[in-house]
Amino acid sequence: MPLGMDATKGKGDQGMQAPGGQMDKPVSFHFLESMLPKVVKRRVHALKKLQVQCANIEAKFYEEVHELERKYAALYQPLFEKRRDVVTGTVEPTDEECEWHSDREEEEELAEEVKEKAAIEDSKKEEAPPQEDPKGIPEFWLTIFKSVDMLSDMLQEHDEPILKHLKDIQVKFSEPGQPMSFTLEFHFEPNGFFNNAVLTKVYKMKSEPDTSDPFSFEGPEIIDCEGCQIDWHKGKDVTVKTIKKKQKHKGRGTVRTVTKQVPNDSFFNFFNPVKVSPDGEMDEDSEFTLATDFEIGHFFRERIVPRAVLYFTGEALEDDESFEEEELEEGDEEEQDDDGDDDDDEGDFDPKKEQPQPAECKQQ
């Protein structure tokens, strides 16, 4: 099984079903094929060759999809640059640009309540010295990181002061004729932690059928990633920590204290990923870490960067939670049906309980 994240995830693998109901285990396709008459098996082999040709055409399709993504990324870019300028306070949007009409009556009512409270607070603060308006949208990206579970799991308290300086995240696609890949660029304003203006993470992709297993092809998949070197200021590297250890001399019995640096949990370890082994052999922990990294990279590209403002306000999180709840409810219903079968062995025949249930598909 490749260490990659399918960019077209959503197709489920289902075991074959017997006419009388769902089988406990999928029947081996080798066994089925061996049972066919020789003349039919010959024709099946012809169909398999056609299927390989279909997979190769599908690979060409995804190459063109990648080119379309590249083309439209150029159209999105001016809008994303305007977003960056508003977030950082470089540009102040006009009144017309700030007009926004919400269709949600509850939100409008809540906004009115907030305005009334704000007016009361303003009247109380009339005698207080005026405060400067905040610049841009403070802690825009940090708020997103803290709100999204997948990112907040990586975030440590010592990362937060650094991410307050993050002013933009961009996605760049590989040029025509180059191996398929995309790059995440994290743009920082000058800060007291490192010298880099941009931190990068490159995700390399594969978009052609494997010659040894062409039927497993379901679209582009991430196969490797590469981070960058962070030029930390002295004493500011949050990916390591200094610990003190006492050592006792075996002969003299004297004790001395030594200091050493050890790895430290941090979001910035994201830029020093586990490398794919050339021979494909990796331990289970490394495989899991790498697969999670691929998933996070894909999530940045497909969700966070294109819809950043909706993750900042929480609206995108509501959509994600609604989808998860829907999946959970379906799972609960299936479990209840299973329990019901045990209790109603002697009850009336229910044709719905006799129907084989398809294998559950996890959408991404």
Side-chain angles (χ1 to χ4, degrees):
M1 188 174 181
L3 273 174
M5 202 189 82
D6 188 353
T8 57
K9 199 77 171 178
K11 301 177 182 177
D13 295 326
Q14 298 184 9
M16 295 190 65
Q17 294 180 2
Q22 189 174 24
M23 299 186 66
D24 291 336
K25 293 183 179 179
V27 177
S28 167
F29 63 86
H30 294 297
F31 173 75
L32 289 177
E33 199 170 322
S34 67
M35 297 295 289
L36 296 173
K38 187 174 181 180
V39 64
V40 176
K41 190 189 303 183
R42 179 175 173 273
R43 295 166 190 151
V44 169
H45 291 168
L47 295 186
K48 285 188 174 182
K49 289 191 71 174
L50 292 176
Q51 190 63 43
V52 171
Q53 293 178 47
C54 288
N56 289 324
I57 291 174
E58 188 178 7
K60 293 292 183 184
F61 164 77
Y62 285 114
E63 286 178 10
E64 294 195 21
V65 168
H66 186 73
E67 287 305 305
L68 273 177
E69 286 183 310
R70 218 174 50 80
K71 172 186 173 182
Y72 278 89
L75 300 178
Y76 287 128
Q77 192 56 33
L79 302 178
F80 291 157
E81 288 175 358
K82 185 67 175 289
R83 178 180 72 186
R84 176 202 61 208
D85 291 343
V86 172
V87 166
T88 58
T90 306
V91 169
E92 182 63 37
T94 64
D95 291 344
E96 184 180 355
E97 290 172 331
C98 293
E99 286 183 4
W100 180 256
H101 301 285
S102 173
D103 294 331
R104 301 180 181 181
E105 293 183 359
E106 291 181 2
E107 285 186 356
E108 292 175 354
E109 291 174 2
L110 181 61
E112 288 299 323
E113 292 177 8
V114 171
K115 286 180 182 177
E116 290 176 6
K117 290 180 180 178
I120 295 171
E121 290 296 323
D122 287 341
S123 64
K124 292 180 180 178
K125 294 179 181 178
E126 283 181 357
E127 298 180 0
Q131 295 182 351
E132 290 186 13
D133 289 335
K135 183 181 178 182
I137 304 179
E139 303 183 11
F140 179 79
W141 292 103
L142 175 58
T143 300
I144 294 172
F145 273 64
K146 293 168 75 172
S147 301
V148 178
D149 289 343
M150 188 182 295
L151 303 182
S152 65
D153 288 345
M154 305 164 63
L155 194 64
Q156 305 298 320
E157 189 175 347
H158 48 252
D159 295 325
E160 295 186 16
I162 309 175
L163 289 171
K164 289 179 181 181
H165 297 283
L166 178 60
K167 60 182 184 179
D168 199 19
I169 304 176
Q170 298 179 12
V171 180
K172 298 293 176 68
F173 295 93
S174 55
E175 295 294 327
Q178 293 182 346
M180 188 180 291
S181 68
F182 68 90
T183 302
L184 299 177
E185 294 183 350
F186 295 74
H187 293 251
F188 287 83
E189 62 189 12
N191 60 80
F193 298 93
F194 48 72
N195 293 318
N196 311 64
V198 182
L199 300 181
T200 59
K201 184 77 169 283
V202 180
Y203 287 90
K204 301 174 184 179
M205 306 177 73
K206 177 183 177 183
S207 185
E208 63 271 351
D210 192 325
T211 52
S212 63
D213 186 17
F215 305 130
S216 65
F217 181 71
E218 291 186 341
E221 62 179 0
I222 298 172
I223 56 171
D224 197 5
C225 59
E226 186 176 322
C228 67
Q229 185 72 32
I230 302 179
D231 184 13
W232 294 99
H233 292 172
K234 186 176 180 180
K236 297 294 185 179
D237 186 350
V238 295
T239 64
V240 296
K241 60 183 177 182
T242 301
I243 62 171
K244 295 181 178 180
K245 294 184 70 174
K246 291 184 177 181
Q247 293 181 343
K248 187 175 182 180
H249 194 279
K250 291 182 179 179
R252 295 193 296 270
T254 56
V255 177
R256 67 173 183 174
T257 301
V258 296
T259 60
K260 60 182 293 189
Q261 286 192 330
V262 296
N264 193 29
D265 289 338
S266 169
F267 163 73
F268 291 90
N269 289 319
F270 180 69
F271 300 98
N272 184 28
V274 174
K275 295 301 294 179
V276 175
S277 175
D279 58 9
E281 294 295 327
M282 300 181 71
D283 61 71
E284 190 174 335
D285 288 343
S286 296
E287 283 191 6
F288 177 78
T289 300
L290 199 56
T292 302
D293 191 316
F294 292 170
E295 185 179 356
I296 292 168
H298 187 78
F299 194 75
F300 268 117
R301 165 187 160 170
E302 295 293 324
R303 305 283 292 176
I304 297 295
V305 173
R307 306 174 52 145
V309 67
L310 301 182
Y311 281 97
F312 176 79
T313 62
E315 291 164 271
L317 295 171
E318 291 177 6
D319 292 342
D320 292 345
E321 287 171 1
S322 297
F323 182 71
E324 290 171 2
E325 286 173 4
E326 186 177 337
E327 281 191 331
L328 184 61
E329 287 170 5
E330 289 175 357
D332 288 345
E333 287 175 5
E334 288 181 8
E335 188 175 343
Q336 289 171 7
D337 287 344
D338 291 341
D339 293 342
D341 289 344
D342 295 335
D343 297 337
D344 299 335
D345 288 342
E346 298 178 1
D348 295 335
F349 172 74
D350 186 349
K352 290 183 180 178
K353 293 181 181 177
E354 295 298 314
Q355 293 293 332
Q357 298 296 320
E360 193 170 326
C361 240
K362 186 176 182 181
Q363 298 286 339
Q364 289 189 357

